[in-house]
Amino acid sequence: MSVALSLKEAVHEITTTNPMFELTTAMIRGVEYRVFKNIPPHTRALLQASREAQGNGTAEYLVFGEERWTYDEFVNDVSRMAHVLQSEFGVREGVPVAIAMRNLPEFLVLVMAISSLGAVVVFLNAWWTSEELDYALQDSKAHLVFADGDRAARLQPLQETLGLTLVGVRDAEETCNLRYTDLRLAAPEHPLPDVEIDTDDDFAIMYSSGTTGHPKGVVQTHRGAMNAVFTWLMQAAMAPLMSPPEPDTPPAPRPSVLIVTPLFHVTATHPMFLLSLPAGAKLALMGKWDAETAARIVEREGITRFLGVPTQSADLLQASEKIGTSLETLDYIGSGGAKRPAAQVGQLAERFKRADIATGWGMTETNAVGIGMAGPEYVARPGSAGRLHPPVQDLRFLDEAGRDVPLGEVGEITIKSPCNMRCYLNKPEATAEVLQDGWLRTGDLGVIDADGYVTIVDRKKNIIIRGGENIACLDVEGALHRHPSIAEACAFSVPHARLGETVGAAVQLRPGAKITEADLREFLGEHIARFKIPELFWFDHAPLPRAATDKIDRRSIRTRCLETLTQGAATA
């Protein structure tokens, strides 16, 4: 039996003997980074280089309901749409093109078609209202948008004022003048256009909630995304070196991935979709989350890899028990987007004995790469986020003044990596605040032990993470302040058994004002996405408590409101 290597030994072995993971250095925007030397420089090269891993193009690659594509068929669709973008719409390097839809195969095709031309993919949150979509489209300057039915309906009121060219996908083809199917079928079957793309060119804009009222456009580069993908691929290559299999262990089956989180989030696009290409994995795509449907897809398609927010892992566990299946093909059940409750780790490990239960921490700003662990080490440390994924990242813990804190003390998680974003779109001050000499100040507070395991303890930024969705408190408050009966509002997180957190709000009403929760929720639905609308309200005519700086004392307001829950006196 082989001798198990330590993490450090495995990194050295892989990076010095496998050319795919050989390291070098590169100057990126004036800062020197460690980078992979021989990986594809951009997404088009990744698509082309992955054909061998995908059965030389013949392997079944994408499954959506009863629809199926081989890898060559998927690439052919990408090539067709790239030609459409180039010839019909004049899309070229640097042009932003937006996607607004639920999880559909066309979403994946468009991501690769847009980025293969050197254009920039603008990911629009499928749950946004017309008002929120309006902001992101003006911010990104995207005028060409591909949308499905619900999104097209929300975009049509903006079409004339923003000068949008709207292409309908699936159920939007009946209401849009331009139809995806017509464009695809009319396009020639030629290879992908060979346009020049620099590895440090922009790949995508993904919107992430911050502490300001509007979301921030995170600008990701091709180099950042590619280095993230090969960081995860290297973890898989190191695993048998650190935990050698028994001599009679049969070969592992072909990886098969079920995507259940929204494709407008980095958790689905990067460690699931983009990673599937060089990993030789098959993709099964769910348009809408349903745990029993997911369990049956796992069984039917032989799914090996599941990654969702913690509530989806819990839902899958319950569904497997309900329909009486052990989902034996699963070898990885990961969580991202929010911290999994510690008690759930053991429950999942007990139910799915052949699967490594895993956790990961990353950000849109890091192309989703960051910290993680799986298997026995996670079961032994269910409250930890794991260790930093080698080999191109560096990690520090800083105090408010930017100084390193001693080992074991709480500090702000700060990461240097070629995977870090280029900037926040149109926000130089916000960019300068978090990106300093290549180091990204994440806003998350944590502590690291002598073995390199990180525990995240709090967030500096006022973000509520509801089932993996980031919600800015000021975004919710901005919508509440629009109501004429509300003088002041304070949003905060409320613990939730299933979702981890949900939204609560303390509201000061104007003198003599009266409002029902139902009316307020209906009003908010016109301004913010449904998942952002508070589930709990505390109404009062008295002013909200303030801190010494005269700012609203969010912490004391939250504490006071949550105390009423335990006392059974919440207005909810």
Side-chain angles (χ1 to χ4, degrees), residues 193-207:
D194 187 17
V195 300
E196 186 174 344
I197 304 173
D198 188 89
T199 190
D200 289 312
D201 283 347
D202 293 344
F203 153 59
I205 299 168
M206 280 189 161
Y207 281 89

Side-chain angles (χ1 to χ4, degrees), residues 375-442:
E377 64 174 343
Y378 183 31
V379 175
R381 303 171 181 83
S384 173
R387 294 192 283 188
L388 188 72
H389 288 317
V392 298
Q393 299 186 100
D394 292 305
L395 177 64
R396 298 169 70 190
F397 290 79
L398 304 181
D399 63 16
E400 286 287 344
R403 298 169 300 206
D404 292 279
V405 301
L407 182 71
E409 292 191 11
V410 174
E412 183 177 2
I413 297 172
T414 307
I415 289 181
K416 181 182 179 183
S417 162
C419 308
N420 287 349
M421 68 173 184
R422 180 173 69 80
C423 68
Y424 287 126
L425 184 65
N426 302 324
K427 290 181 169 56
E429 292 181 1
T431 302
E433 185 178 343
V434 300
L435 267 180
Q436 299 160 10
D437 297 324
W439 291 90
L440 177 73
R441 300 196 66 156
T442 68

Side-chain angles (χ1 to χ4, degrees), residues 117-189:
L117 293 173
V120 182
V121 186
V122 180
F123 292 82
L124 299 178
N125 190 310
W127 297 329
W128 277 345
T129 62
S130 296
E131 187 175 306
E132 292 164 312
L133 290 166
D134 185 10
Y135 170 78
L137 288 169
Q138 291 196 56
D139 184 56
S140 65
K141 297 180 174 58
H143 295 285
L144 175 59
V145 187
F146 290 80
D148 65 1
D150 286 347
R151 269 46 65 180
R154 295 176 210 162
L155 286 162
Q156 281 164 347
L158 309 173
Q159 196 166 356
E160 185 175 347
T161 57
L162 297 184
L164 301 180
T165 299
L166 193 58
V167 180
V169 177
R170 302 239 169 186
D171 56 346
E173 293 194 346
E174 295 181 0
T175 60
C176 294
N177 293 329
L178 294 170
R179 300 172 180 85
Y180 179 94
T181 302
D182 296 342
L183 293 169
R184 182 182 65 82
L185 291 177
E189 289 194 25

Side-chain angles (χ1 to χ4, degrees), residues 429-508:
E429 292 181 1
T431 302
E433 185 178 343
V434 300
L435 267 180
Q436 299 160 10
D437 297 324
W439 291 90
L440 177 73
R441 300 196 66 156
T442 68
D444 286 319
L445 301 176
V447 62
I448 188 169
D449 66 18
D451 297 317
Y453 289 95
V454 177
T455 300
I456 297 172
V457 298
D458 203 349
R459 291 190 297 277
K460 288 178 66 178
K461 48 197 175 184
N462 296 319
I463 291 291
I464 301 163
I465 303 182
R466 181 190 182 275
E469 283 293 331
N470 284 6
I471 302 168
C473 288
L474 293 186
D475 197 8
V476 178
E477 291 163 6
L480 285 166
H481 284 141
R482 287 172 174 262
H483 196 284
S485 295
I486 293 175
E488 199 162 43
C490 175
F492 48 83
S493 65
V494 176
H496 192 282
R498 180 173 177 273
L499 299 172
E501 294 177 342
T502 189
V503 185
V507 175
Q508 179 195 356

Side-chain angles (χ1 to χ4, degrees), residues 123 203 206-208 218 220 225 228 232 261-274 307 337 362-369 419 468:
F123 292 82
F203 153 59
M206 280 189 161
Y207 281 89
S208 176
V218 177
Q220 302 167 341
W232 292 307
T261 56
L263 284 168
F264 52 79
H265 279 329
V266 71
T267 301
T269 52
H270 290 49
M272 303 295 279
F273 168 46
L274 292 178
L307 174 61
M363 304 173 68
T364 309
E365 288 88 339
T366 68
N367 275 277
V369 79
C419 308

Side-chain angles (χ1 to χ4, degrees), residues 302-314:
I303 298 296
T304 63
R305 183 178 175 86
F306 178 92
L307 174 61
V309 297
T311 54
Q312 291 172 317
S313 298

